[in-house]
Amino acid sequence: MTTGPLRDGPGPLGGLAAASTVAVDGASPRQAVAVFGIVSETDMHALVGGLHRLLQAAHCDPLNVGRLVTAASELGYNILRYAGRGQITVRIGVLGGRRVCELVAEDHGPGIADLALALQDNFSTGSGLGLGLPGVRRLMDTFDIASQPGRGTRVTVRRWL
Ligand SMILES: Nc1ncnc2c1ncn2[C@@H]1O[C@H](COP(=O)(O)OP(=O)(O)OP(=O)(O)O)[C@@H](O)[C@H]1O
Ligand SMILES: [Mg+2]
């Protein structure tokens, strides 16, 4: 986990884009990228359905599809509930020679004052169970969160495929 100020700029995404230009079989696209805007419940359906289709097209195994769709859903609902609007960027590509799916959930909402607290099981400032962020952290291979009160929150997670 990385905590601290929300970074500006491309962050870890640039690394993924660069690595994924390395061709493996030359037949399939090297990278799939999709940006899902999140403003309403309807956008959540588009996110879940769209991510599912992207992962199936990438021949992702069902367990990882489930993990990633669950993670995207938790992060998307957090955006809706706490920030009101934001976006989730999905990248499926190759990083360091390994296939990976990366989700970046970003918003310019109120931010999270105490990240360590927000990552504890059962901590919620709303009416939730407080299991979203810690659950996502357990489901993914890497988890990075950056937030700044008044500026927003960015959660970056990866799962090797
Ligand atoms: N994008 C965000 N912007 C601002 N605060 C957030 C954001 N995401 C999470 N939080 C804060 O972190 C807390 C913990 O989030 P988490 O997803 O673990 O639980 P929850 O959303 O409260 O409940 P659950 O996800 O179990 O329904 C939230 O209650 C909220 O205070
Ligand atoms: Mg939540």
Side-chain angles (χ1 to χ4, degrees):
M1 175 183 67
T2 304
T3 58
L6 188 65
R7 287 157 300 161
D8 290 322
L13 304 184
L16 180 58
S20 63
T21 58
V22 179
V24 174
D25 57 21
S28 55
R30 295 309 316 135
Q31 188 177 28
V33 183
V35 181
F36 296 90
I38 296 173
V39 181
S40 70
E41 186 86 19
T42 310
D43 299 321
M44 293 301 300
H45 299 300
L47 168 69
V48 167
L51 177 58
H52 202 272
R53 278 191 294 278
L54 282 171
L55 290 168
Q56 288 207 312
H59 307 291
C60 180
D61 74 77
L63 266 178
N64 278 333
V65 172
R67 288 185 182 102
L68 284 156
V69 166
T70 301
S73 173
E74 290 294 340
L75 296 174
Y77 274 115
N78 279 354
I79 288 174
L80 267 189
R81 281 192 197 126
Y82 304 111
R85 61 172 54 226
Q87 66 177 42
I88 295 187
T89 303
V90 177
R91 282 183 167 79
I92 301 172
V94 178
L95 185 65
R98 287 198 283 177
R99 294 179 72 231
V100 69
C101 178
E102 179 184 83
L103 309 176
V104 182
E106 304 171 89
D107 64 67
H108 293 104
I112 301 174
D114 189 335
L115 285 174
L117 199 56
L119 290 169
Q120 281 180 18
D121 281 344
N122 303 124
F123 173 83
S124 177
T125 58
S127 54
L129 293 173
L131 291 174
L133 287 177
V136 169
R137 192 180 189 182
R138 285 190 283 267
L139 282 172
M140 297 289 102
D141 290 313
T142 73
F143 181 99
D144 182 286
I145 184 166
S147 188
Q148 209 169 347
R151 286 200 61 193
T153 301
R154 182 189 295 138
V155 184
T156 303
V157 299
R158 290 179 183 152
R159 178 81 199 175
W160 304 113
L161 301 178

